[in-house]
Amino acid sequence: MTPSLLVLLLSCDTQAPTWARASVMTDLSQGIGGPKALAQPGDVVLENDRVRFVVMGGRTSIGPGLFGGTIIDADLQRADPSFSQGRGNDRFAELIPTVNMNVAMTDEPDEVVIVNDGSDGGPAIVRAVGESEPFISLLGGLWAIVGAPDFTIITEYELAPGNSYVTMRTTAFFGPQDTLPDNTTAVPGATGSLPLLTYALETGVAFGDFYLQGGNVDVFAPGMGFDEDGAVYAAEVEGRNTFHDPFVLDFIGGSAEGVSYALASLDGEMFVPLFTSSQTAGFGAGVEGDVDDSDRFPPLTALTYTRVFALGDGDIGSALEVVWTARQEAGVSLSLGSVSGNVYDPRSLHPLSGVKVFAYAPGADTPTLEWTTDVSLDDHVDDGSFAGVLPVGDWELLVHEQGRPLNARLPITVRADAPLTLTLLAGRSGDVSFHIFDEQDMQVPAKVTILPADGGPVVRDPVLGDGYIAGDPEAIVFCPHGACEVRLPPGDYVAYATRGPEYELGIQSFTVRADQPAEIELTVTRSVDTTGFVSADFHVHSAPSHDSGVSLPDRVGTMVAEHVEFFISSDHDYISDFRPVIEDLGLGALRGHGCGP
């Protein structure tokens, strides 16, 4: 090779080009696809070199929303061709802009338009327009009583090349629906407090989103961790009215397999009066109008609220890093430092994939974010690695995997000019296998509930993503074939095997040691003669429903373990056929299933 050619090759810019594009789907292969995908031909794909979104066209929604103009699918761009042609990894339900708990009645094709398709090298922009309509029908009567004003809701979705977030600008326009405002007034993000009910019922407008992440996404929020249900329950016990006194959060996030999500204001906080995985309302701004004018604002007033919807690799940290980057680009002063590392098993020193690393402010009860090792679907090396950023300052890290004891938090100091690389160890756990038999010594399906002996404390923690289970057990395992395994922290336990109401409990005490696997046998004895009857469940949801994260095989497994012999699938907007799953699993104990509406 000649020196001049070598210099030419070394000087070439190998950075991949950035781009953005908006286009109308003509067939399903042009959409994202995935377990929760809802896109149909006529919807608009908004994508760039990093992420993909679908904005529903002007039609009625088959998802949890009512009308079009909303974000219904969201995923990362993926190099693996197996994710192409509409076979992506959308795990998200729906994001619906709202003003005063109203949504845009965007149900005509010409109400969702491509403002800029990105062919000029700039951002791709999609606009949705609709007359305001109550999201909950009962609000219509309330708005009539209080004399709520009419307005048009306009939302623009802007995706710039190279960004992993879409910028959303929602405008409340007090003018005719068939007219766009000549100019708008930017509404800053709220901090400290936001009088939602006062604005909505009496004096002004409150801006936000119905942020419906769905049952496939594990919801996360700072101050709550993964246990938003626990935070809501605590508020109820306190007698707290969350519409008067909403949760105040820096962002709302969620993680799923291979993709994660975060909704955040660029310059304010999120005020959340309603919080569940499938029905969350997050508000970020508000404006008080003329309290002496029933219309609240002069004709042709246009008020605009801006926020971002960010995507990550499957953990909260990667999505929050995108939010922090967006804030920096918007001029927010925020100094960040890099943190990376690997997590290993303490006994074998093998790297651990799928383990969570939580970051806490010093002494805080709940985490600010979490990273997951080897989280990305594009990460094909199982080396227990994690990486991300944190604001400069002191933090504490905690390694967690369900079934392992917790080690002490590790104090760290994050600096902007000194990337931090760590080696972390998970807690030492023990493996337990269960075999369940009936009174005839036949191995049978069952559910095993595991509690600490003598009522001791459990390690399982919903805040850390282990999920809430009534009765506070250490673990519950479904054994559809009569045998199953579980990882547990070392200690003394009692296992309870159940097989529906027709069988007596099987009970066995046992001890878990970190250096010695345990094998436990349990017996369930039939005590109720149900000859001539079939045990059945006539309302069963699974993954095709936007509010469920239970896969079809897992749903069949739970039915068999509980000795349900026949069930009806009742997924939202889907007809789910479990017959191939039942056949593949070889679970003849199920006499059958039916497809419900």
Side-chain angles (χ1 to χ4, degrees), residues 226-493:
F226 286 105
D227 190 23
E228 79 284 357
D229 289 336
V232 171
Y233 176 74
E236 292 176 352
V237 171
E238 294 170 2
R240 176 179 173 184
N241 184 332
T242 53
F243 280 88
H244 280 290
D245 183 16
F247 299 106
V248 182
L249 308 172
D250 182 54
F251 69 95
I252 308 171
S255 63
E257 183 180 352
V259 64
S260 46
Y261 308 97
L263 175 68
S265 169
L266 286 173
D267 58 351
E269 297 169 309
M270 304 293 296
F271 298 81
V272 183
L274 184 65
F275 205 164
T276 69
S277 63
S278 58
Q279 198 70 273
T280 295
F283 290 83
V287 180
E288 185 173 48
D290 186 348
V291 296
D292 297 322
D293 185 351
S294 60
D295 291 330
R296 303 187 189 177
F297 297 95
L300 303 183
T301 295
L303 306 166
T304 301
Y305 163 57
T306 302
R307 66 280 190 210
V308 295
F309 179 39
L311 270 61
D313 293 324
D315 56 6
I316 300 302
S318 57
L320 184 54
E321 181 175 348
V322 174
V323 169
W324 285 335
T325 300
R327 287 174 175 170
Q328 288 177 323
E329 294 171 349
V332 176
S333 179
L334 182 62
S335 182
L336 301 172
S338 298
V339 180
S340 63
N342 301 79
V343 180
Y344 298 93
D345 180 87
R347 185 168 65 249
S348 67
L349 297 183
H350 290 158
L352 297 176
S353 297
V355 173
K356 292 179 168 60
V357 179
F358 289 89
Y360 293 75
D365 292 330
T366 54
T368 297
L369 61 76
E370 66 84 29
W371 297 298
T372 302
T373 59
D374 303 329
V375 65
S376 172
L377 292 181
D378 295 324
D379 183 354
H380 302 298
V381 179
D382 294 336
D383 57 359
S385 61
F386 67 94
V389 298
L390 282 170
V392 168
D394 293 332
W395 295 87
E396 295 173 348
L397 300 187
L398 177 70
V399 175
H400 174 68
E401 183 182 33
Q402 186 171 346
R404 292 181 181 271
L406 297 175
N407 292 332
R409 296 185 194 176
L410 174 67
I412 63 170
T413 298
V414 177
R415 297 182 174 88
D417 58 352
L420 193 60
T421 302
L422 305 167
T423 297
L424 304 177
L425 297 178
R428 298 184 67 179
S429 61
D431 296 322
V432 184
S433 60
F434 295 98
H435 298 270
I436 302 95
F437 300 89
D438 65 10
E439 68 278 8
Q440 299 176 346
D441 288 331
M442 298 290 292
Q443 193 159 287
V444 293
K447 178 178 76 173
V448 179
T449 301
I450 304 161
L451 293 167
D454 301 322
V458 299
V459 176
R460 211 179 157 275
D461 189 349
V463 170
L464 303 182
D466 296 340
Y468 170 77
I469 302 177
D472 206 17
E474 187 61 60
I476 286 182
V477 192
F478 292 94
C479 313
H481 294 94
C484 48
E485 297 180 349
V486 66
R487 175 182 292 122
L488 293 170
D492 297 325
Y493 297 92

Side-chain angles (χ1 to χ4, degrees), residues 15-84:
Q15 184 176 357
T18 62
W19 53 270
R21 178 171 60 231
S23 59
V24 177
M25 288 176 56
T26 58
D27 63 67
L28 292 177
S29 68
Q30 298 170 340
I32 295 173
K36 299 297 182 183
L38 293 174
Q40 298 291 315
D43 296 339
V44 179
V45 177
L46 183 63
E47 60 183 333
N48 67 8
D49 50 287
R50 301 183 65 86
V51 292
R52 308 186 75 197
F53 301 92
V54 173
V55 177
M56 191 190 309
R59 59 180 175 88
T60 55
S61 174
I62 63 170
L66 301 173
F67 309 109
T70 64
I71 292 179
I72 50 172
D73 296 342
D75 190 20
L76 305 173
Q77 286 282 6
R78 302 191 183 277
D80 187 337
S82 66
F83 290 104
S84 65

Side-chain angles (χ1 to χ4, degrees), residues 154-218:
I154 306 165
T155 297
E156 286 192 348
Y157 303 95
E158 179 177 312
L159 182 60
N163 285 347
S164 294
Y165 63 89
V166 60
T167 301
M168 302 180 294
R169 291 185 292 268
T170 295
T171 299
F173 179 43
F174 293 82
Q177 182 184 351
D178 57 356
T179 303
L180 295 176
D182 293 329
N183 51 69
T184 71
T185 300
V187 180
T191 58
S193 64
L194 182 63
L196 299 174
L197 291 183
T198 300
Y199 284 159
L201 295 177
E202 301 174 14
T203 65
V205 287
F207 293 87
D209 299 277
F210 288 105
Y211 185 55
L212 315 180
Q213 297 191 99
N216 217 207
V217 178
D218 199 357

Side-chain angles (χ1 to χ4, degrees), residues 577-585 593:
D577 186 358
F578 281 83
R579 288 173 296 181
V581 178
I582 294 171
E583 182 177 343
D584 288 345
L585 294 176
H593 99 289

